[in-house]
């Protein structure tokens, strides 16, 4: 079974067109005072922008290697909503009172409206999120390649990086940049809220859940006789039985604790999550429904992860990239329509993340980095201009293009050296640096600007040395002895 390239491309463009139509419709409704997103269910579904291609493809890849070790990434957000929903409500109320437009704006406002602090948060966010954007490009590019090369689905994924003009990830980056610019920078809003975007993200959440659920039901009940049959086959093979239990070792428990903690912080501190959960929130009371509806969503989208991983390992005997099992299993059994639905689900997971993340980051770059620097140049006479909206939109559009270009460069330089989950964890650890200054600014009046600057700078340098630079070393762009460290 080989799907024609034009079919895949046309389906993708039609889907993106539907998203744009939903966003346009929701914006028009908002202009008439009939908000679509003033609904607790829509708010809860929009929070599922947390589920990117990492969830859609990478969770199965991690489950194939570590079994139920994929769960901490979803236990963290569940615990945060269950135990820390009051923190989220307070964040929303503080943000509304102070007209907060981003996480950089929030941190700066809590420490004396420091432009320097806002700029530092912005730079850390951009550098820290670049690997996550690269993850989306890698996943969409790999899934497109798999669809175009059905006969090679059992070949391991390690391949030479193609030339620029033959690299599907390059065209994915261009398409996402153009779409995000059209999608998120059509007009300025003083509150930085994007009702159309939130409505489209909620719709995308339904699409990716439906696609993943469809392939999960097909594998579990179409290829096998249900969960009992899948797990019975796994328990019958020594190599697969270990996937159904957690490693009873200190390192195993340490991994669970660390990943749960990182994901608890990330569901609030990733720029896209802060944008959706705090900035775009219409009513703080919507958090009460999100407390149970968002964890329910996470449960449903992960229900079939382990059965798909086990089925893929049985089907391909280790001969295919586990990150692509969601796609290669229906393809191997001639299910063209299901394979195309899965691809659209993965595209949905990627576009949702990229749209919200780049809009949030471009807002931060514009408001907390570019404009404070430009206003310092007296020769530009920006303070005397009555209308800066054209300049602001231009800065944001260029910022979106630059951020996606950086994501593509990271994908080319280091993306092939890591599985999807590993790339995502690099970004999770980056935004964890914001936790002390955000939570401290929320609850501790003794925090100072100097302390926040020192903590963020030290945390960022440690992250860059221990996680970012090793990704370049692993890819061959830095000497191998760099990994040994200064003390060997």
């Amino acid at each position: 079974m080989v799907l024609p390239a034009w079919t895949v491309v046309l389906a993708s463009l039609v889907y993106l067109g539907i998203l744009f139509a939903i966003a346009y419709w929701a914006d028009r409704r908002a202009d008439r005072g009939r908000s679509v997103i003033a609904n607790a269910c829509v708010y809860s579904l929009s929070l599922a922008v947390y589920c990117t291609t990492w969830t859609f493809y990478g969770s199965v890849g991690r489950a194939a290697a570590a079994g139920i070790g994929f769960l901490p990434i979803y236990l963290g957000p569940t615990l945060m909503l269950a135990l820390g929903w009051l923190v989220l409500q307070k964040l929303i109320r503080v943000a509304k009172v102070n007209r907060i437009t981003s996480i950089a704006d929030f941190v700066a406002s809590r420490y004396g409206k420091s432009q320097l602090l806002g700029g530092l948060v912005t730079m850390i966010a951009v550098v820290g999120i670049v690997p996550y954007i690269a993850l989306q490009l890698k996943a969409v590019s790999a899934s497109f390649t798999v669809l175009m090369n059905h006969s090679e689905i059992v070949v391991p994924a390690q391949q030479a990086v193609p030339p620029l003009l033959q690299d599907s990830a390059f065209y994915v980056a261009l398409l996402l940049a153009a779409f995000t610019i059209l999608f998120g920078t059509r007009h300025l809003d003083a509150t930085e809220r994007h009702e159309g975007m939130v409505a489209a993200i909620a719709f995308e959440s339904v699409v990716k859940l439906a696609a993943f659920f469809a392939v999960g039901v097909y594998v579990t009940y179409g290829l096998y006789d249900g969960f009992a049959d899948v797990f019975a086959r796994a328990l019958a093979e020594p190599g697969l039985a270990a996937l159904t239990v957690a490693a009873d070792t200190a390192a195993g428990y340490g991994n669970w604790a660390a990943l749960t903690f990182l994901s608890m912080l990330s569901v609030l501190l990733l720029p896209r999550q802060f944008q959706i959960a705090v900035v775009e929130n219409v009513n703080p009371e919507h958090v009460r429904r999100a407390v149970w509806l968002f964890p329910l969503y996470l449960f449903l989208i992960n229900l079939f992860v382990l059965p798909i991983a086990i089925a893929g390992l049985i089907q391909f005997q280790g001969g295919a990239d586990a990150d692509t099992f969601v796609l290669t299993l229906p393809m191997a059994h001639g299910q063209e329509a299901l394979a195309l639905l899965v691809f659209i689900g993965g595209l949905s997971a990627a576009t949702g993340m990229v749209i919200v993340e780049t809009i949030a980051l471009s807002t931060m770059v514009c408001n907390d980095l570019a404009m404070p620097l430009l206003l310092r140049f007296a020769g530009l006479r920006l303070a005397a201009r009555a209308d800066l909206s054209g300049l602001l939109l231009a800065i944001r559009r260029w910022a979106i293009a630059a951020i996606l270009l950086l994501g593509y460069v990271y994908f080319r330089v280091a993306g092939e050296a890591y599985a999807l989950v590993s790339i995502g964890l690099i970004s999770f650890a980056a935004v964890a640096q914001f936790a002390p200054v955000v939570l401290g600014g929320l609850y501790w009046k003794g925090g100072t600007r100097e302390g926040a600057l020192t903590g963020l700078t030290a945390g960022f340098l440690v992250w860059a040395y221990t996680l970012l630079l090793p990704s370049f070393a692993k890819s061959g762009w830095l000497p191998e002895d760099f990994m040994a460290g200064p003390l060997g």
Side-chain angles (χ1 to χ4, degrees), residues 329-403:
L329 278 168
M331 288 177 64
H333 294 273
Q335 300 294 320
E336 294 96 336
L338 182 56
L340 184 59
L341 176 63
V342 169
F343 176 79
I344 294 300
L347 179 66
S348 181
T351 53
M353 179 273 179
V354 170
I355 289 168
V356 184
E357 202 78 83
T358 51
I359 287 174
L361 290 175
S362 66
T363 300
M364 292 161 66
V365 168
C366 178
N367 295 354
D368 298 283
L369 208 57
M371 286 307 295
L373 289 175
L374 291 175
L375 288 170
R376 290 177 182 270
F377 291 98
L380 296 176
R381 296 185 177 181
L382 295 180
R385 289 172 58 174
D387 184 9
L388 292 173
S389 59
L391 175 63
L392 294 173
L393 284 174
I395 291 172
R396 293 183 188 192
R397 288 165 181 162
W398 281 107
I400 287 169
I403 290 164

Side-chain angles (χ1 to χ4, degrees), residues 402-463:
I403 290 164
L404 275 162
L405 176 62
L406 286 173
Y408 177 72
V409 169
Y410 184 89
F411 163 76
R412 294 279 295 194
V413 171
E416 291 301 324
Y418 285 90
L420 296 180
V421 169
S422 300
I423 298 175
L425 287 174
I426 292 174
S427 293
F428 270 32
V431 299
Q433 313 308 317
F434 300 148
V437 292
V438 169
L439 297 177
L442 201 59
Y443 290 103
W444 183 41
K445 295 183 178 180
T448 64
R449 169 180 171 273
E450 290 70 23
L453 285 168
T454 303
L456 280 174
T457 303
F460 177 68
L461 291 176
V462 171
W463 170 82

